[in-house]
Amino acid sequence: MRDEIDAGGTDEIGLTEANYAAFEEFFYRKTGISFDVSKRYFVRKRIARRMQATGHDRFRSYFSFMRLEPSQDEFQALVNEMTVNETYFFREEHQFRCLVDTILPEIASRRPNAPLTIWSMPCATGEEPYSIALYLLEHWKGLPDHDVTLLASDIDTSVLNAARNGYFSERSLHYLPAALRVRHFRPAKNGKHRINYDIRDVVEFAKVNLLSPPARFRQGDIDVVFCRNLLIYFDQQAQRRAVENIAEALRPGGYVLLGHSESMSRISDLFAVRRFAEGIVYQKPHEDR
């Protein structure tokens, strides 16, 4: 069985070069995510999986069904198949230290006792926003003086449901200190661990496409955005749109933390580079600058 599309030809599900190009264009327009040539095998396998699940044996039939379905449930199912959601607690922990040791004290000095909002995206199955919650609880002395809202979003509805349920594997908890496991998790079935309700309750999860965020994420009232390892899936045009939407979401003086392989400076001049002891952070200018 062939796994690749022959040049100028087709494969056993009817995915011609022209059809593949049409799919790429459609998926990019809807999500901002583009796939290079190296991802073609990955994309084809996931399309074939959704075709089998929906009873379509030819790509053109499936493509028409997926685009025209009024509920768009199948498009969402395809998005869920295409997104990668592997993460773990306290990933790139230096950024959480930066949050509690430097960023939040700076904000608190400008706005004492003011409410604070932190947005984590893409949140996948919840490890990142719950890590933020745990880090604030365990390490930020200013927490009792501030009403903190934790927002978490993803484009994948299946991982959002998993995040709300709060069950995690041993692999997800590998870097979590043992004392925190005891305090904040309970053993569950099938070797899973469930984070305590008091932590689950403080995170608000929502489906958000960063290229067209809902009104809640365009109010300019967010103080810190964690947007790690998302922009690498966008081309330059989509990256600029995403960064503009992040800037719109943030208060003046708000902060953005990116993944270690990402750089805001290559995308936009809307943010200033801040170099802290714990790493590089990007800041939206204050209104008076």
Side-chain angles (χ1 to χ4, degrees):
M1 179 180 291
R2 292 169 297 170
D3 288 322
E4 300 292 344
I5 304 169
D6 296 332
T10 185
D11 68 1
E12 55 279 331
I13 64 172
L15 190 57
T16 65
E17 291 285 354
N19 288 342
Y20 187 84
F23 169 79
E24 277 195 309
E25 190 278 331
F26 171 80
F27 198 81
Y28 169 76
R29 180 161 40 85
K30 296 279 281 186
T31 67
I33 298 172
S34 57
F35 300 104
D36 60 29
V37 173
S38 67
K39 295 292 194 300
R40 178 169 290 186
Y41 178 81
F42 166 91
V43 171
R44 184 208 174 277
K45 283 294 187 184
R46 279 147 184 79
I47 291 174
R49 189 179 299 168
R50 291 310 310 162
M51 287 176 60
Q52 182 178 26
T54 54
H56 294 266
D57 59 3
R58 306 302 292 171
F59 173 77
R60 290 184 64 180
S61 171
Y62 170 76
F63 194 36
S64 296
F65 162 73
M66 183 262 293
R67 285 182 301 164
L68 301 176
E69 183 189 31
S71 68
Q72 287 294 281
D73 288 345
E74 178 53 31
F75 173 69
Q76 183 62 59
L78 184 62
V79 169
N80 295 353
E81 284 277 1
M82 293 292 183
T83 49
V84 178
N85 298 296
E86 184 175 356
T87 185
Y88 50 86
F89 277 84
F90 285 17
R91 183 177 187 179
E92 297 188 46
E93 185 180 356
H94 65 279
Q95 292 190 327
F96 301 128
R97 291 198 302 270
C98 186
L99 177 70
V100 301
D101 292 346
T102 306
I103 293 174
L104 292 179
E106 275 199 7
I107 295 173
S109 69
R110 295 197 306 265
R111 297 169 43 234
N113 307 114
L116 300 172
T117 302
I118 301 171
W119 179 15
S120 164
M121 64 163 161
C123 68
T125 45
E127 286 88 342
E128 180 173 278
Y130 289 137
S131 291
I132 295 170
L134 292 174
Y135 229 82
L136 295 180
L137 188 62
E138 295 285 336
H139 299 290
W140 189 38
K141 295 180 180 179
L143 183 60
D145 301 322
H146 296 267
D147 179 13
V148 179
T149 298
L150 292 180
L151 304 175
S153 70
D154 205 289
I155 198 172
D156 184 336
T157 54
S158 64
V159 297
L160 287 171
N161 290 333
R164 293 185 184 102
N165 287 329
Y167 290 96
F168 298 98
S169 67
E170 186 67 28
R171 182 175 180 179
S172 290
L173 302 181
H174 181 71
Y175 293 101
L176 196 67
L180 269 62
R181 289 197 191 197
V182 173
R183 280 199 292 274
H184 302 295
F185 291 80
R186 293 293 179 269
K189 296 179 180 179
N190 301 321
K192 298 277 189 175
H193 305 266
R194 195 175 199 190
I195 195 165
N196 291 344
Y197 178 78
D198 59 341
I199 303 296
R200 298 201 310 273
D201 190 48
V202 301
V203 182
E204 301 176 22
F205 291 97
K207 177 192 167 187
V208 176
N209 181 342
L210 184 54
L211 299 189
S212 55
R216 172 62 189 91
F217 296 86
R218 292 187 280 108
Q219 295 178 2
D221 64 347
I222 294 174
D223 296 281
V224 182
V225 170
F226 280 77
C227 182
R228 305 193 295 184
N229 305 312
L230 173 62
L231 298 178
I232 55 176
Y233 293 100
F234 294 165
D235 68 3
Q236 290 184 343
Q237 181 180 355
Q239 285 177 342
R240 285 193 294 270
R241 284 178 58 194
V243 168
E244 289 168 1
N245 289 336
I246 291 174
E248 185 179 15
L250 283 168
R251 296 182 193 274
Y255 303 82
V256 182
L257 295 94
L258 300 180
H260 70 275
S261 64
E262 298 171 307
S263 172
M264 189 73 77
S265 304
R266 302 171 187 167
I267 302 170
S268 170
D269 60 1
L270 293 175
F271 294 87
V273 178
R274 298 289 307 277
R275 289 180 170 83
F276 297 134
E278 306 89 349
I280 294 175
V281 175
Y282 301 92
Q283 186 174 27
K284 180 178 176 178
H286 296 277
E287 290 179 327
D288 57 352
R289 294 183 181 179

